[in-house]
Amino acid sequence: MSDTIGEFVLSTLGELNYDTSGVTDTTPLGDGGLELESLSLAEIAMHVEQQYGVQFDDEELESIGKLTFGEFVKVIGERSTGPAVTGQTA
């Protein structure tokens, strides 16, 4: 499942106009890597929540920027309830 999660996160980053061509598991999400800022991290977290049912509180959002891409994918996988069912309305 982690490959699927990684592909989802890369796709989401691409939709946010980030260049993901050289991203590996060791690429930092923040400084020295993708350079994601808090607004981008929050948007990615929102997409992850919708897709995998994983929630991050405000403190966690700040610390996500210190993770590598691989670490972030692993956290999502560990917390995931699986892909959300699409097409449902609230």
Side-chain angles (χ1 to χ4, degrees):
M1 177 168 357
S2 64
D3 287 343
T4 303
I5 295 170
E7 290 170 10
F8 175 80
V9 174
L10 287 174
S11 173
T12 301
L13 288 167
E15 290 172 14
L16 297 173
N17 296 317
Y18 282 93
D19 179 12
T20 61
S21 59
V23 174
T24 68
D25 282 347
T26 60
T27 302
L29 294 179
D31 295 338
L34 287 166
E35 303 291 343
L36 300 181
E37 296 180 3
S38 58
L39 184 59
S40 296
L41 290 169
E43 191 160 353
I44 291 167
M46 181 185 69
H47 286 271
V48 167
E49 180 178 347
Q50 290 173 347
Q51 182 71 21
Y52 293 103
V54 176
Q55 295 184 358
F56 297 97
D57 63 31
D58 291 340
E59 282 184 23
E60 288 178 305
L61 279 177
E62 291 179 25
S63 67
I64 289 173
K66 297 175 184 172
L67 298 176
T68 65
F69 178 79
E71 291 168 336
F72 183 54
V73 169
K74 182 178 177 182
V75 168
I76 296 167
E78 289 171 349
R79 295 182 177 189
S80 177
T81 58
V85 178
T86 57
Q88 292 182 341
T89 56

